[in-house]
Amino acid sequence: MLVVDDDFRVAALHAEVVGTVPGLRVVAQVHGAAAALDAVQKHRPELVLLDRYLPDADGIDLLRRLRGARDGAPDVLMLTAARDLASVRSAVRAGALHYLLKPVDFAVLRARLQAWSRLQAGVRRDAALEVDQREIDRLFALRSGAPERPAPEGDGPPTARRILEALRAAGGERTATDVAEAVGVSRATAQRHLAALTRTGTVALDLRYGATGRPEHLYRVAEGAPEPTL
């Protein structure tokens, strides 16, 4: 992660917050736009904490350059004292991940960073999984740091257990459609729970490539899998 702020003391404080989030580390702290571009080129950070007011450029202009990069464009979280609505709109249109006002509540900043970190970890681990609209909404909530909505009544651990039991009873690989029919739920519900069980390591996902080129997703109980705790 790259921290960009014209005040070296503020940059250091924000870097300290980053250091409290497991899995995140600051690769550099810089205090101007030119230095930021050099640091992005050198370190290829996945996330940039960016101030609006920089000595050599407007932070939103820098945001546009960063997000417009063809390869490896980082996510950018604006962290600035600019409170005018025009600045906020410009940042959103330029592709800002989020917009936090200074002086920032460190607990809020940490929560945003944790949410982003969870999202990145999930994307890297589950890139091949198919998702339904509910899972897409959850991912976008993580991206903005918004609280996730609880599962509807009756759509929690009991369903996950039934899905796991159906896979165990099948004794081999099954598609989400097979599992949905065995449990008596929709394919979307089965897919959502299978994705969650895969993330916890309870279920293993295999891809089978056919003539169409689109892989078929096959699920099986992972060796030594624990009971689901979803």
Side-chain angles (χ1 to χ4, degrees):
M1 179 179 299
L2 175 66
V3 177
V4 185
D5 197 289
D6 67 325
D7 189 322
F8 72 92
R9 292 164 298 185
V10 173
L13 286 173
H14 294 164
E16 285 184 17
V17 177
V18 174
T20 66
V21 180
L24 298 187
R25 69 181 183 90
V26 174
V27 295
Q29 301 175 45
V30 298
H31 313 296
L37 290 171
D38 288 343
V40 168
Q41 183 69 25
K42 178 180 179 180
H43 299 289
R44 300 292 183 182
E46 292 183 284
L47 179 65
V48 177
L49 297 187
L50 178 61
D51 191 9
R52 168 75 193 271
Y53 301 120
L54 300 173
D56 54 347
D58 185 315
I60 292 180
D61 289 338
L62 176 57
L63 166 63
R64 293 190 184 98
R65 292 189 65 178
L66 294 175
R67 293 299 298 157
R70 292 184 177 181
D71 299 317
D75 286 333
V76 178
L77 172 60
M78 294 296 296
L79 192 49
T80 175
R83 294 174 174 268
D84 58 291
L85 184 57
S87 292
V88 178
R89 284 177 171 169
S90 295
V92 171
R93 288 169 180 164
L97 174 73
H98 211 288
Y99 195 104
L100 294 178
L101 292 172
K102 292 180 179 179
V104 68
D105 183 324
F106 289 158
V108 172
L109 175 57
R110 189 171 190 274
R112 296 292 184 268
L113 294 172
Q114 287 174 321
W116 180 87
S117 181
R118 290 198 302 272
L119 172 61
Q120 294 304 107
V123 168
R124 283 191 289 265
R125 183 178 59 243
D126 302 333
L129 290 178
E130 292 184 349
V131 294
D132 59 13
Q133 188 62 53
R134 179 190 175 91
E135 181 68 7
I136 292 170
D137 292 343
R138 188 189 72 83
L139 291 174
F140 272 86
L142 280 176
R143 189 174 188 272
S144 66
E148 298 178 50
R149 293 184 298 175
E153 188 69 25
D155 195 20
T159 303
R161 292 193 188 96
R162 287 163 53 204
I163 285 174
L164 187 57
E165 289 169 0
L167 277 178
R168 283 192 168 124
E173 296 179 328
R174 291 294 182 271
T175 66
T177 300
D178 296 334
V179 173
E181 292 175 353
V183 176
V185 297
S186 69
R187 184 188 181 280
T189 296
Q191 178 71 56
R192 183 171 69 251
H193 284 289
L194 287 166
L197 288 165
T198 301
R199 286 194 295 271
T200 64
T202 305
V203 166
L205 168 64
D206 295 318
L207 300 179
R208 177 185 297 163
Y209 289 85
T212 63
R214 182 178 181 182
E216 184 179 29
H217 292 64
L218 298 173
Y219 301 90
R220 56 184 170 79
V221 178
E223 185 175 352
E227 288 296 323
T229 56
L230 305 179

